[in-house]
Amino acid sequence: MSFWQLINLIALALLVLFARRVWVRSQRPFPLPPGPKGWPIIGSVFDVPKEKLHVAYMEIGRKYGSDLLYLNMAGTSLLILNSEEAANDLLVERSTLYSNRPDFPMLFLMGWDFNLAFLPYGNRWRKSRTLLMQQFSASNLKTWQKPILQESIYLFLKKLLDTPKEFEDHIRFLSGGTIISSLYGMGLFNDPQHGSYLELAKKANQSIAEAGIPGTYLVDNLPLLKHIPEWFPGAGFKKKAAYERGFVQRMYSEPVAWVKRNMASGTTKSCVVSRVLQEMQDDGAWSEEKEDFLKMASGTAYSAGSDTTAVTLTVIVLALVRNPEILQKGQAAMDAVVGPDRLPTFDDEGKIPYVDALIMEALRWRPVAPLGMPHHMVSADIYKGYYIPSHTIVFANCWAFLQNPETYGEDVAQFRPERFLNPDGTVNSTVPYPNAAFGFGRRACPGKAFAQCSLWLAVASLLASFDFARALDKDGVEIDPSTDCMDGLSSCPPPFECSIMPRSKAVQRAD
C-alpha cells in the first residue's frame, strides 16, 4: 500500500464516520444522555484530559447534573455511568445487552486476545470462564487454595523479616506466587521456574495498564492502522506491540507446557492445570480446543492474580504507614483474638471485624481499576428517557461510586475503616460492600472469593507481625508517601519507602 493510498483510505474512513453520525442522529427517537457537544468529526476528544480519566468523568458528570455522561470520541460513542444504581440497572439487570467487550486493537496486537477480561462475549469466553469458576469454587478454595495461601504467607513474612526494604517485591511474590503455585504446581521454595514466571507476569502485565483503555493509541480509534507496516512513519505502536507480544505469548503457553512435561515424567504436583488435564485424559475428552480453553482460563488468572491483589495489599501498607492510629487499632483487634504467640489462620477468618473493615476501605479508597473495564453494547437501548446508540462503549466509573459522600460519608477522601463498622465494632451491614471494585454482571471478577481470602490472610498476618512507619530522609525527617496513584487501567501507588519492624516472636518462627 502506497502512502497516498493510505491517506485516501483514512480520509474515506473519516468521511464514513461523519456520514454515519449524521444518519444515526436523524434516526434516534430520544435525546442522547447529557455531555459535551463536541466538534465535527473529532467530537469531544479535546474535552477530556488525558490523565485521571475517572476523576475527570466524575467531575464532568456533576457539571451536567446527571449520573449518565455521553461523549462522542471521534465517532466512537462513550457512556460513563457515574452511579452504582445506573451500573446495576444496565450492566446487571440488562446484562444481555451490556456484557460484550469493545475491540482492543492495540492489546490484541500485543497478544492479549486470549484473556477473558478482553474477550468478546461468546462461546470461547463462556467455556473458559466456567472452567475458571469451577476451579476456584468454594469447595476447591477450601481444599486446594487455602492451604497454598497459608504456606505462602509464612514465606512472605520470612522474606519481609529478612529484607523489609524490598516489601513491594515481596508483596508481588505473595500474590503472584500463590496463584502460580495454585495454577501450575510450581513450588514456593527454591523452584527456579517460580521466580522466572513471576518476572514474566510482571513484564507482560506492564502492557495492560496503558493499552487497556480504549483510545490510548491512535490504532484504537482507527483500527485500519493495524495493517500498516512497522517501517511506516508513525507506526511505532507496531514495534511496541511486537515487543510486548513476546512476553504475553510466553505467559499464555509456557506454564501449561511445563505442567504437561512434568505429568509425562511423573513429577508434577497437583494443581489446577494438572487436575483438569488429568480429568480430560481419564474421560477420553481431551481436545486441542479444550486445552486452549484451559490455557485461556489459567493465563487470565495468572495475569490478573499476579497484579490486582498485589496493588490492593500495597495500598493497605501505604495506608498503615500514613495512619499509625489505624495500625494500632488493627493490631489491638488482632491481639484480642489471636494473641501474641501465634500467627492467624483461616480459622480466625470472620472473627476480626476491623480486618474486614480495613480491607473494604482499601478497595473503596483506591480501587485497582477506578474506571472499571469497558463494556460494549450489542444493540441500542433506552434508559431514563435517553437513547443509547448501539456499539456504545460503557464504563462503570467505580471511582465515582466509591467516592460518593452520600454513600460513604463526607470524608470519602480519607482512609477510615470505621465507616464500615458499628459503634460496637461489628460490621455495619447498612454500608455497602465495595463490590464495584470487582466489576458488574456477567463480567464480574471470577476470582473474587480467592482475592478476598488472600487479602484477609495477608492483612491479618501483617497486623499481627509487624509495625509500619514512615521512612526518614537523610536529615531524619519523616517522608510522607504519596497517595496519588499512577494512571492506567490498573492504578497503583507510586513506589515508596517505609520502616517495617517485627512486633511478635511468632513471625520470627514463621520459617
Side-chain angles (χ1 to χ4, degrees):
M1 181 182 294
S2 70
F3 174 79
W4 288 111
Q5 285 177 321
L6 180 63
I7 294 299
N8 289 334
L9 190 61
I10 293 174
L12 178 62
L14 291 173
L15 181 62
V16 169
L17 284 173
F18 181 70
R20 178 180 177 274
R21 183 185 176 197
V22 172
W23 181 83
V24 168
R25 181 182 297 174
S26 68
Q27 300 297 310
R28 59 179 180 246
F30 293 93
L32 293 170
K37 183 178 180 180
W39 296 84
I41 299 180
I42 63 172
S44 301
V45 168
F46 297 115
D47 292 318
V48 178
K50 299 300 183 183
E51 298 180 349
K52 307 296 180 188
L53 285 175
H54 50 285
V55 178
Y57 288 149
M58 179 180 70
E59 292 176 348
I60 296 173
R62 288 175 177 173
K63 173 184 174 182
Y64 286 94
S66 173
D67 57 354
L68 304 178
L69 174 65
Y70 180 84
L71 298 156
N72 167 33
M73 304 296 282
T76 298
S77 296
L78 290 188
L79 179 66
I80 312 301
L81 309 178
N82 278 323
S83 77
E84 196 157 5
E85 177 192 22
N88 281 314
D89 286 348
L90 299 182
L91 306 185
V92 179
E93 298 301 325
R94 305 184 190 183
S95 59
T96 303
L97 288 179
Y98 289 86
S99 293
N100 206 6
R101 288 287 193 235
D103 288 334
F104 293 93
M106 186 61 178
L107 275 178
F108 290 170
L109 284 172
M110 291 176 173
W112 284 106
D113 51 341
F114 74 87
N115 193 296
L116 299 187
F118 309 118
L119 269 183
Y121 186 75
N123 188 54
R124 291 179 74 221
W125 176 84
R126 278 192 295 270
K127 289 190 174 183
S128 298
R129 180 183 169 85
T130 298
L131 191 156
L132 191 58
M133 294 193 71
Q134 288 171 345
Q135 292 302 314
F136 287 91
S137 65
S139 59
N140 280 338
L141 194 63
K142 181 178 181 180
T143 303
W144 300 108
Q145 275 84 46
K146 283 189 174 181
I148 294 174
L149 287 167
Q150 194 75 65
E151 182 184 12
S152 299
I153 205 71
Y154 294 145
L155 185 55
F156 166 65
L157 295 176
K158 179 63 169 60
K159 286 176 173 287
L160 205 54
L161 183 67
D162 292 342
T163 53
K165 289 185 178 181
E166 299 173 16
F167 72 95
E168 290 177 299
D169 289 336
H170 302 330
I171 287 174
R172 282 191 291 270
F173 161 82
L174 175 65
S175 60
T178 302
I179 195 69
I180 288 173
S181 181
S182 179
L183 289 169
Y184 307 115
M186 296 175 187
L188 295 167
F189 298 90
N190 301 319
D191 189 330
Q193 291 294 334
H194 191 276
S196 65
Y197 282 128
L198 269 179
E199 187 62 26
L200 179 60
K202 179 181 176 182
K203 290 179 178 179
N205 280 335
Q206 287 172 348
S207 63
I208 292 182
E210 183 181 356
I213 300 179
T216 301
Y217 289 89
L218 185 59
V219 68
D220 292 329
N221 292 324
L222 294 172
L224 286 173
L225 294 179
K226 66 186 178 183
H227 299 296
I228 66 175
E230 289 186 11
W231 54 262
F232 195 83
F237 70 92
K238 295 286 294 283
K239 295 178 182 178
K240 179 176 176 58
Y243 174 77
E244 300 290 355
R245 188 165 58 246
F247 298 116
V248 175
Q249 289 179 341
R250 287 181 56 204
M251 182 179 177
Y252 168 72
S253 59
E254 283 189 12
V256 174
W258 183 82
V259 174
K260 291 177 70 175
R261 289 195 300 271
N262 287 346
M263 290 179 69
S265 65
T267 59
T268 189
K269 295 180 181 178
S270 180
C271 58
V272 169
V273 170
S274 69
R275 291 193 294 271
V276 174
L277 286 173
Q278 190 63 55
E279 184 178 341
M280 289 181 190
Q281 293 175 11
D282 293 344
D283 295 343
W286 180 91
S287 69
E288 187 174 339
E289 181 185 45
K290 289 184 177 180
E291 185 171 316
D292 185 50
F293 291 148
L294 176 59
K295 287 180 180 179
M296 291 164 60
S298 60
T300 299
Y302 175 19
S303 63
S306 298
D307 188 49
T308 53
T309 305
V311 172
T312 300
L313 194 52
T314 303
V315 166
I316 290 173
V317 171
L318 173 64
L320 294 177
V321 169
R322 290 176 55 89
N323 300 278
E325 72 286 356
I326 292 175
L327 172 65
Q328 292 168 8
K329 291 178 182 178
Q331 291 174 334
M334 286 300 306
D335 294 345
V337 175
V338 175
D341 297 323
R342 69 175 179 89
L343 293 172
T345 69
F346 281 113
D347 292 335
D348 304 306
E349 193 176 12
K351 300 177 183 178
I352 315 170
Y354 200 86
V355 173
D356 300 330
L358 203 155
I359 294 169
M360 287 189 282
E361 179 68 345
L363 293 170
R364 183 206 68 82
W365 185 58
R366 290 294 183 270
V368 175
L371 197 53
M373 286 291 295
H375 295 240
H376 182 255
M377 295 177 59
V378 296
S379 61
D381 194 14
I382 306 293
Y383 179 63
K384 292 185 177 181
Y386 292 113
Y387 177 77
I388 307 173
S390 62
H391 305 298
T392 294
I393 296 175
V394 182
F395 282 96
N397 189 358
C398 302
W399 181 262
F401 316 159
L402 301 176
Q403 297 286 321
N404 186 352
E406 294 182 4
T407 304
Y408 295 106
E410 293 298 327
D411 61 344
V412 288
Q414 303 301 313
F415 186 90
R416 186 173 64 85
E418 289 80 4
R419 75 179 77 247
F420 290 99
L421 299 174
N422 292 310
D424 64 358
T426 58
V427 173
N428 185 349
S429 60
T430 66
V431 180
Y433 186 93
N435 281 307
F438 293 98
F440 289 87
R442 302 180 189 185
R443 288 289 186 167
C445 174
K448 177 181 176 181
F450 180 81
Q452 289 170 318
C453 287
S454 301
L455 286 171
W456 184 88
L457 188 61
V459 173
S461 299
L462 288 174
L463 290 171
S465 304
F466 294 100
D467 285 317
F468 298 86
R470 289 174 170 83
L472 303 178
D473 65 16
K474 58 183 178 61
D475 298 318
V477 178
E478 289 186 342
I479 301 172
D480 201 23
S482 173
T483 62
D484 190 16
C485 289
M486 295 184 289
D487 266 351
L489 187 65
S490 175
S491 179
C492 62
F496 63 96
E497 296 180 359
C498 65
S499 170
I500 302 176
M501 298 291 292
R503 67 178 292 259
S504 74
K505 293 182 180 179
V507 68
Q508 299 182 44
R509 298 195 299 267
D511 59 340

